[in-house]
Amino acid sequence: MFPRPIQQASPAAQWLYTIALPVALVIWLFPLLGVALTSLRPASDLAQGNYFGMPSGIAWENYVYIFTETPIGQYMLNSLWVTIPTVIGAVGLSLMTGFALAVYGFKGNILVFFLFVAGNFVPFQILMVPVRDLTLQLGMYDTWYGLALFHIAFQTGFCTLFMRNFIKALPFELIEAARVEGVTEWRIFWYIVLPLMRPAIAALSVLVFTFIWNDFFWATVLTQGVDSQPITAGLSSLNGQWIAQWHLVSAGSIVAALPPVLMFFLMQKHFIAGLTLGAVK
Amino acid sequence: MAQAVSRTPSRWNQRTLAPWLFLAPGMFMFTVYVLWPICSSLLLSLYDWDGLYNREGQFTGTFVGLANYRELMIDPAFETSLWNNLKWLVLYMLALPIGLLIAVFLNQTVTGIRLYKSLFFFPFVISQVVVGLMFAWFYAPRFGLFYLLTEAITGDGTAILADPDLVTYGIIAAGLWPQIAYVMILYLTGLNNVAPDQIEAARLDGAKGWKMLWYVILPQLRPATFIAVIVTVIGALRSFDLVSIMTSGGPFGSSRVLSYYMFEMALGEFGFRMGYGAAIAVVLFAIMMVFISGFIWKMWRDESAR
């Protein structure tokens, strides 16, 4: 193990390490802590310039206000409406493409695979005008499904990379054996490979959920109104209205950040497996 | 066991056809929403188009050849964006050493360390919109902590987001926060898998500290470093969200980057210059292609080595 375990160090060093950990954490998360505290500060404190001193009270009403007086609840629902179909769609499609690319040695296999991988890395801007135009033409501008369809297609690239590598690592003898028994290809996919894919499905689901929930660019390009804008775009437009009302901006930020944070805490192991692209095992 | 592998024509056909059937839905979506738009943008960058169609539903753009690109060459805003992109690329690379440092710091087995690792990773899970707002608060003039800090040190507070010379650095610092967290997690996973016997052997040979890190650990972390470089480059070139949230490209357009300038040109208040926007996107795409090709090349080498 590197570095040398702290337990082997001198008591003074161990003591120092125990202190350094929480101190470093507080410094590291300072912007987050500051915003979390500001979100609970009464507006009157901010008006009097009391930004960092003792708050005069805990103002849950900031949260009540953003949920009752602004459409933030609607924005959150819109986000869910985009995020959940995208997770299902992208994971479903990439299970199939990943299976095809991992199991069959057809001509052009590697080319198709690299197309998916490369497409995943392109800057969004090169897609922006045509995708927006297409969405308009299909009458899906400013709808959750217009946004979700694009996300499904784009995320399929990343998911295919992951699924294909995951299936490649499965024992191929399983598939060979099934073929000898005369099992059809579709049933091999459904009854043999799919049950083994659970960890990969979990990892990609949490990752895609986070990516899509946090997407801002496409939300801005493909949606407009309160009825379909996801939370990221919604928060940005609310920020424009709440000029310098930091207690509200902070509360909105915390609310917007909560779902992916919860997802991460609940599914930590899978999340990290996904992020390392399965390449760093 | 006499039936062996039955290679009757129908089975054979099934196995040639199956991969394409499995690929079809995914490839269809990917072609419609990713591959075709790339070609379409390349073509569109040769047109002057306001994004509209006439009453018969016909495309109204006019072919202008390379005029958009010629205009880019003399466009000062484009030059600023390009320079800023370079700053982003170079400074974003700081995420690698800092991420490694934090990973080494956290790679211990004391009680509660798992929680510490997750909390350090936190910034990456949060939306960049929220990160941008958090840093805007941190930088805010008069009361922001950064402002107060500079005021205490120099006697004169710096409103970093209002200063054309510093604004880009301020945004990059905000972007580095989640990026460092990502790199840290890559290295933590990598450190977990460093071969313990090699470390022990190196220790017996008297290697420790920085020497150990440089000559023994880092070579073993190469896969992690590779992915870290790739995701950091992509992160740097995708820097749209933070610029949009924190400054909208200002003050006076000094914090624009290509991704944001493109959006401004195509959909912003300056009018719908789709062709010109597409030309900016093509430049960004070309820059990214350098890195994508590197990645693909490395993957291809690994694949053929198998």
Side-chain angles (χ1 to χ4, degrees):
Chain A
M1 195 171 145
F2 180 85
R4 194 183 281 275
I6 195 81
Q7 286 84 352
Q8 295 174 18
S10 67
Q14 285 191 38
W15 186 77
L16 197 69
Y17 187 72
T18 340
I19 306 255
L21 266 180
V23 171
L25 184 68
V26 169
I27 296 174
W28 180 241
L29 289 184
F30 193 82
L32 181 67
L33 295 172
V35 166
L37 291 177
T38 308
S39 75
L40 290 172
R41 214 173 254 281
S44 54
D45 278 22
L46 300 185
Q48 287 159 15
N50 178 11
Y51 285 94
F52 298 102
M54 270 307 268
S56 61
I58 293 181
W60 294 107
E61 66 258 28
N62 294 343
Y63 285 93
V64 175
Y65 177 89
I66 59 170
F67 274 102
T68 52
E69 303 297 317
T70 75
I72 207 157
Q74 180 67 41
Y75 289 140
M76 298 282 278
L77 279 180
N78 295 341
S79 271
L80 272 184
W81 268 114
V82 174
T83 308
I84 289 175
T86 304
V87 170
I88 297 169
V91 169
L93 287 181
S94 64
L95 276 169
M96 293 196 285
T97 50
F99 178 76
L101 293 171
V103 169
Y104 304 93
F106 59 93
K107 216 175 170 185
N109 178 313
I110 210 86
L111 183 78
V112 173
F113 178 54
F114 284 166
L115 268 182
F116 276 119
V117 176
N120 174 51
F121 293 141
V122 299
F124 295 148
Q125 283 70 20
I126 192 100
L127 311 177
M128 187 186 99
V129 176
V131 166
R132 185 174 178 276
D133 196 39
L134 177 74
T135 309
L136 276 166
Q137 301 281 319
L138 293 172
M140 298 195 291
Y141 180 74
D142 204 21
T143 62
W144 64 267
Y145 45 91
L147 189 53
L149 273 180
F150 169 77
H151 279 316
I152 290 173
F154 193 80
Q155 294 300 324
T156 298
F158 169 72
C159 295
T160 299
L161 164 68
F162 190 86
M163 290 292 188
R164 183 258 192 192
N165 288 346
F166 193 93
I167 299 175
K168 265 246 143 111
L170 297 177
F172 194 66
E173 298 80 49
L174 277 177
I175 295 164
E176 289 284 83
R179 279 183 180 159
V180 172
E181 297 290 324
V183 182
T184 60
E185 301 297 313
W186 172 255
R187 293 168 81 74
I188 291 178
F189 170 72
W190 192 257
Y191 291 107
I192 299 176
V193 174
L194 212 53
L196 297 171
M197 296 302 287
R198 279 207 199 116
I201 295 172
L204 281 179
S205 302
V206 277
L207 264 187
V208 172
F209 179 91
T210 313
F211 289 163
I212 302 308
W213 186 278
N214 289 342
D215 162 71
F216 174 63
F217 182 74
W218 292 104
T220 324
V221 172
L222 295 181
T223 62
Q224 212 165 27
V226 171
D227 294 332
S228 59
Q229 256 185 348
I231 182 75
T232 45
L235 189 61
S236 161
S237 57
L238 284 178
N239 180 43
Q241 298 163 27
W242 293 332
I243 301 155
Q245 299 198 61
W246 284 100
H247 55 295
L248 299 181
V249 177
S250 305
S253 300
I254 298 290
V255 167
L258 221 48
V261 163
L262 280 179
M263 196 61 135
F264 168 65
F265 263 103
L266 293 176
M267 312 271 285
Q268 220 184 102
K269 199 183 76 193
H270 296 301
F271 195 96
I272 289 167
L275 270 186
T276 51
L277 304 180
V280 194
K281 291 223 179 76
Chain B
M1 289 295 153
Q3 72 255 45
V5 190
S6 53
R7 289 241 162 120
T8 57
S10 86
R11 302 263 325 139
W12 186 242
N13 277 340
Q14 197 195 357
R15 219 179 290 169
T16 355
L17 199 61
W20 297 106
L21 289 178
F22 278 115
L23 277 173
M27 262 179 88
F28 172 75
M29 289 290 281
F30 204 68
T31 310
V32 169
Y33 274 108
V34 181
L35 300 180
W36 175 79
I38 294 176
C39 305
S40 179
S41 276
L42 285 170
L43 202 66
L44 197 62
S45 72
L46 306 175
Y47 283 83
D48 186 23
W49 183 43
D50 58 4
L52 299 177
Y53 292 88
N54 67 12
R55 210 170 293 158
E56 283 81 46
Q58 281 161 330
F59 178 74
T60 57
T62 41
F63 183 80
V64 292
L66 292 174
N68 285 328
Y69 292 96
R70 270 197 295 274
E71 192 183 335
L72 277 183
M73 307 265 273
I74 51 163
D75 180 351
F78 175 74
E79 201 188 320
T80 314
S81 313
L82 206 57
W83 272 114
N84 282 339
N85 262 120
L86 192 69
K87 284 182 201 164
W88 273 85
L89 260 180
V90 172
L91 290 175
Y92 242 48
M93 287 299 151
L94 284 175
L96 274 97
I98 303 175
L100 178 62
L101 205 75
I102 299 181
V104 169
F105 174 64
L106 289 178
N107 195 32
Q108 294 287 350
T109 45
V110 295
T111 39
I113 196 74
R114 278 198 51 182
L115 186 64
Y116 274 108
K117 287 178 187 169
S118 336
L119 289 173
F120 265 87
F121 184 62
F122 235 88
F124 184 76
V125 186
I126 302 171
S127 152
Q128 297 238 323
V129 172
V130 176
V131 170
L133 290 175
M134 282 177 182
F135 272 78
W137 170 85
F138 182 62
Y139 291 146
R142 285 190 301 106
F143 67 87
L145 210 77
F146 180 81
Y147 183 88
L148 295 177
L149 212 68
T150 50
E151 198 173 33
I153 296 169
T154 63
D156 196 14
T158 309
I160 197 165
L161 294 184
D163 183 329
D165 296 324
L166 296 176
V167 59
T168 294
Y169 301 107
I171 306 176
I172 294 174
L176 272 173
W177 192 46
Q179 194 62 37
I180 290 170
Y182 191 174
V183 172
M184 175 204 80
I185 215 78
L186 289 173
Y187 276 130
L188 269 177
T189 329
L191 280 172
N192 243 334
N193 298 295
V194 170
D197 48 329
Q198 288 200 26
I199 301 184
E200 284 319 308
R203 279 210 176 112
L204 289 179
D205 289 341
K208 47 182 184 194
W210 291 109
K211 276 217 158 114
M212 176 78 120
L213 182 65
W214 187 257
Y215 291 107
V216 183
I217 308 297
L218 267 184
Q220 292 197 55
L221 288 178
R222 274 183 66 180
T225 307
F226 179 70
I227 302 225
V229 170
I230 293 289
V231 296
T232 305
V233 167
I234 293 172
L237 291 176
R238 278 201 180 151
S239 47
F240 173 86
D241 300 9
L242 289 173
V243 175
S244 171
I245 289 293
M246 294 174 76
T247 63
S248 308
F252 319 116
S254 54
S255 63
R256 281 185 182 125
V257 286
L258 288 179
S259 57
Y260 187 76
Y261 187 46
M262 184 275 163
F263 177 83
E264 256 186 324
M265 279 296 128
L267 293 179
E269 51 199 299
F270 299 98
F272 281 37
R273 297 194 60 193
M274 299 293 173
Y276 196 57
I280 303 170
V282 170
V283 174
L284 186 60
F285 178 67
I287 299 171
M288 197 84 101
M289 254 345 252
V290 175
F291 297 98
I292 298 176
S293 321
F295 184 67
I296 296 283
W297 185 68
K298 162 95 175 18
M299 271 185 89
W300 184 73
R301 243 184 11 184
D302 291 355
E303 287 291 323
S304 23
R306 255 184 218 172

